[in-house]
Amino acid sequence: MNKGSETTTVSTPPQSATTEKRNETSAQRLAAPRSRVISRLISVVSAVAELLGAGNRRGGLVILAVLACGAVLLPVFLLTVFISANGTSGSAVLGLMLGLIVDLLVVLLLLGVVTHKMTSRRLATLTRSLRDLGTRTSNLEMSLGEQSEQLERQAIAAAATRAAVGTAVTDVGNRLQATQNLFALVSPRGPVPQMVGYVAAPDVLLVLVQKFLSLRPSLAIECGSGTSTLFLALAAQQYGINCRLVSLEHDPAYAEATRALVADHGVSHLVDIRHAALTTTPLTDHSGPWYDPAAFQDLHNIGLAFVDGPPGDVGPQARYPMIPLLADRLGNPCAILLDDMTRADERVVAERWMTQLEGFSYRYLPLTRGAGIFTRGC
Ligand SMILES: C[S@@+](CC[C@H](N)C(=O)[O-])C[C@H]1O[C@@H](n2cnc3c(N)ncnc32)[C@H](O)[C@@H]1O
């Protein structure tokens, strides 16, 4: 209970203080309009003084004082004039009234001019503020426009990045799955080179090995040696396919590297890696070089050909000569796998081959780098 009463005493202000506060507030409330009227009067007087003094308030105040004196003196003067002219009380009142009317008219005129001046000033200020607001709004509009354009550009870039990331993820997934499938078919006995860059991608190697296993050719050739050479040799070994494997390689260092690779995997005896320098051809519809004819002179009844060389930087349509030079060495059944069809050059090569290959049908394979397969009898 004690605690409660203590709280009440503390929270309630003393009666006298409250009354004082209330009185103060009402006094303030009463004083406010009065002070407003006074300050309004002062501002009108100072505006009139400024107007009369043409900007010089002190001079204006002097003129105002003179005018005020004039306003007082004018009715007195007219009163005196009218009395001395007629001498009647009626003319005295008339003189006084005339003086007061003139005073009133002057005051009204001054007030009108001052009000006009103040309104014009306010209008000018308002116009300036509106102009400022307009400028700020148009600046804001411009910056909003720029920001929205920037956002649009960022959205386009983000969409492109999303698409690129999506493609990259799909590509990695495809490579992973193709590698697993390839290794399920053929088991290398040690590490194999990374299947990126110049090396054939896992999905085209998988198609190559599958075609090799289904055709079981007696002669398989390839243009451009490397990891593909190893997988063909391993497939021949692991599936007991009695096939002559010939790999044409224009770069002696790369031929040596491929020989070392197949040796590492114990399949050197199953593949014939031939260094074949690139030389000019007798072809009239192609100007670039191809493998030295001495390297493919003895090849007949080709059952499978993997065309992955010469590399594109040798010249335009660098792989084209293969069909015009070896068409009469192709067997039946036969499959020709052309890699890197995502390149325009290889697509032109495929189109030209289609007009030259007899009895072959063609299919495009949407692999990592695109491939085209020409088949006859299989
Ligand atoms: C597309 S690569 C052949 C790849 C091969 N079929 C494979 O699966 O590894 C075509 C030719 O490019 C050349 N080559 C391979 N790797 C290279 C490299 N890192 N830099 C320059 N040329 C390379 C070789 O002469 C090869 O015959």
Side-chain angles (χ1 to χ4, degrees), residues 70-126:
V72 172
L73 289 177
L74 184 65
V76 176
F77 172 70
L78 286 175
L79 175 75
T80 319
V81 169
F82 273 67
I83 288 176
S84 54
N86 290 325
T88 61
S89 61
S91 60
V93 171
L94 192 66
L96 191 64
M97 291 294 286
L98 199 62
L100 289 174
I101 286 169
V102 171
D103 279 358
L104 188 68
L105 284 175
V106 170
V107 167
L108 285 177
L109 184 72
L110 278 176
L111 277 177
V113 171
V114 167
T115 312
H116 172 74
K117 197 98 179 167
M118 283 167 87
T119 314
S120 309
R121 260 188 220 165
R122 273 192 206 143
L123 266 176
T125 313
L126 201 65

Side-chain angles (χ1 to χ4, degrees), residues 256-307:
E256 208 43 60
T258 308
R259 281 188 199 111
L261 177 69
V262 292
D264 281 350
H265 288 262
V267 285
S268 313
H269 58 290
L270 294 173
V271 61
D272 178 7
I273 298 162
R274 298 181 178 178
H275 170 238
L278 297 175
T279 58
T280 50
T281 71
L283 298 175
T284 51
D285 60 351
H286 185 79
S287 57
W290 208 63
Y291 300 103
D292 184 350
F296 55 86
Q297 209 68 338
D298 60 327
L299 304 178
H300 297 280
N301 198 25
I302 299 164
L304 177 65
F306 180 44
V307 189

Side-chain angles (χ1 to χ4, degrees), residues 198-200 205 224-228 249-251 254 306 308-309 311 319:
Y198 275 81
V199 176
L205 289 176
S225 72
T227 307
S228 52
E249 176 53 62
H250 78 281
D251 182 337
Y254 208 72
F306 180 44
D308 199 19
R319 295 173 187 178

